[in-house]
Amino acid sequence: MLNIFREEKENRKPKKYKTGVVLSGGGTRGFAHLGVLKAMEEAGIKPDIICGVSAGAVAGAIYADGWDPEEALKILTSQRLLKYIDFAIPKTGLIKLNGFEKTLKKYLKAKIYEELKIPLKVFAVNINTAEYHCFDKGPLAITVKASASIPILFPPVEIDNAFYCDAGVINNFPVEPLVGNCERIIGVNVNPLGTRHDIDNLKKMAERTFQLNIRSHTLERRKLCDLFIEPDGIGNYGLLDMSSGKKVFELGYNAAKKAFEEKGWGK
């Protein structure tokens, strides 16, 4: 009974933000996040705070930095995937993200979180302590890279003498910081499982295993959103499919536009 009273009292408190947005991980499927953000702009819905992990951290950082979503898509997809990565002799990861951090530093105007136009929370896992860590202050690019470092595929990232990897291994849908702080929460998931018959090498096996692990995290957390968007057909694209960026962007855009119309949200 006491817990119910506390929840009711919490609900009566004025919220710090009007609209909070949570963006899931999902590799290059994260281009769909940019499509959703474009649809939000057209509907006159402004994110007041963004929580992101992995691909969601990348899209969140870019948008919070003031980029137009379509312009961001052009810049990111103009680079071939090989510009972002180097293949490595397996030790702590199959692929090095050497060029990825350089690209972020080149295009992001904000070098630290405090310089962003919209508050952003990025999540990664501290491998040394097994803790789920929130970055919202200090250096931006390296922490986004850490959040996007899928275990096995990419090596962990060293920050302040600790190693960090993609937070999706613990929580691929970090909605919790928004609960109780936002009048409404929009969640975007770009990591449905779907059916795959092409798992014929170690990289694809690593991708699929990671997806299987993180899917369960999202199912319960989606209930905390006022609107949950999962673009139809997004599961048909791989985690490292740079060539389909425009198609994935359109999937996110169309799904969000339809969802806002059904909710009666927007201009």
Side-chain angles (χ1 to χ4, degrees), residues 24-39:
S24 80
T28 51
R29 295 173 181 173
F31 290 128
H33 289 317
L34 296 174
V36 170
L37 291 164
K38 181 66 176 180

Side-chain angles (χ1 to χ4, degrees), residues 100-157:
F100 181 68
E101 186 181 351
K102 291 178 182 177
T103 300
L104 287 177
K105 287 181 175 179
K106 177 180 178 180
Y107 289 109
L108 289 175
K109 296 181 287 292
K111 303 308 175 188
I112 58 175
Y113 284 84
E114 291 87 344
E115 294 174 350
L116 292 170
K117 299 179 184 299
I118 300 172
L120 173 70
K121 294 182 181 294
V122 164
F123 297 84
V125 171
N126 184 322
I127 296 175
N128 302 99
T129 63
E131 293 177 323
Y132 190 72
H133 187 85
C134 173
F135 292 101
D136 56 10
K137 296 179 178 63
L140 180 61
I142 191 171
T143 55
V144 172
K145 176 184 175 183
S147 182
S149 293
I150 300 172
I152 308 302
L153 280 179
F154 307 127
V157 176

